[in-house]
């Protein structure tokens, strides 16, 4: 049995490939540049805790939906109805709370609405064999 030596191992290229770097990290670099420029141009309004918390609160629903869509996309399916389901669940929850019901009842109604709509889509795709794109579009 022979052992590999430094002479027999394949040589790895140790050069810096700018296109690979830009393709991998370009969006993050651009985002960082935009944040730095905005913080310099508007230091009293942009770089404040109030603005950061507003941005995070505004993107919370989008982040939750993105996490939920990870599994169908990995499985090779696509769900077009997540935005509509989120809107419907919010409307149902707020409608329940407008009638004088407590917050927890509105939250339960919103979650139940989302579960029912998701279960209906899931049944259409798994039991009836309808394409996920078509089932969630309807």
């Amino acid at each position: 049995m022979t052992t590999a030596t430094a002479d027999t191992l394949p040589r790895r290229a140790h050069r810096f490939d700018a296109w690979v770097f830009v393709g991998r990290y370009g969006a993050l670099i651009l985002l960082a540049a935009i944040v730095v420029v905005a913080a310099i141009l508007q230091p009293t309004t942009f770089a404040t805790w109030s603005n950061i918390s507003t941005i995070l609160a505004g993107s919370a629903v989008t982040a939750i939906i993105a996490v939920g869509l990870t599994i169908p996309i990995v499985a090779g399916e696509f769900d077009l109805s997540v935005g509509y389901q989120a809107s419907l669940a919010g409307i149902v929850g707020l409608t329940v709370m407008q009638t004088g019901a407590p917050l927890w009842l509105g939250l339960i109604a919103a979650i139940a609405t989302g579960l029912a709509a998701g279960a209906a889509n899931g049944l259409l795709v798994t039991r009836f064999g309808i394409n996920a794109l078509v089932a969630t579009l309807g």
Side-chain angles (χ1 to χ4, degrees):
M1 182 169 150
T2 62
T3 59
T5 63
D7 295 333
T8 60
L9 292 175
R11 301 186 102 207
R12 290 186 176 181
H14 291 291
R15 64 183 178 88
F16 176 74
D17 193 356
W19 289 113
V20 172
F21 182 81
V22 169
R24 195 173 287 167
Y25 302 109
L28 291 175
I29 293 170
L30 184 62
L31 177 64
I34 290 171
V35 167
V36 167
V37 168
I40 291 171
L41 294 177
Q42 297 292 328
T44 59
T45 57
F46 183 77
T48 62
W49 176 249
S50 173
N51 187 42
I52 292 170
S53 65
T54 302
I55 291 170
L56 291 176
S59 61
V61 173
T62 306
I64 291 169
I65 290 173
V67 168
L69 272 178
T70 301
I71 293 173
I73 289 176
V74 167
E77 300 293 336
F78 193 74
D79 187 356
L80 289 175
S81 66
V82 291
Y84 299 113
Q85 287 182 14
S87 299
L88 177 65
I91 290 169
V92 168
L94 288 175
T95 302
V96 168
M97 286 187 283
Q98 279 183 341
T99 63
L103 173 69
W104 62 269
L105 191 59
L107 291 174
I108 289 174
I111 292 170
T113 302
L115 286 173
N121 283 337
L123 284 174
L124 288 173
V125 172
T126 58
R127 296 289 181 200
F128 297 110
I130 299 174
N131 184 349
L133 188 69
V134 174
T136 59
L137 183 62

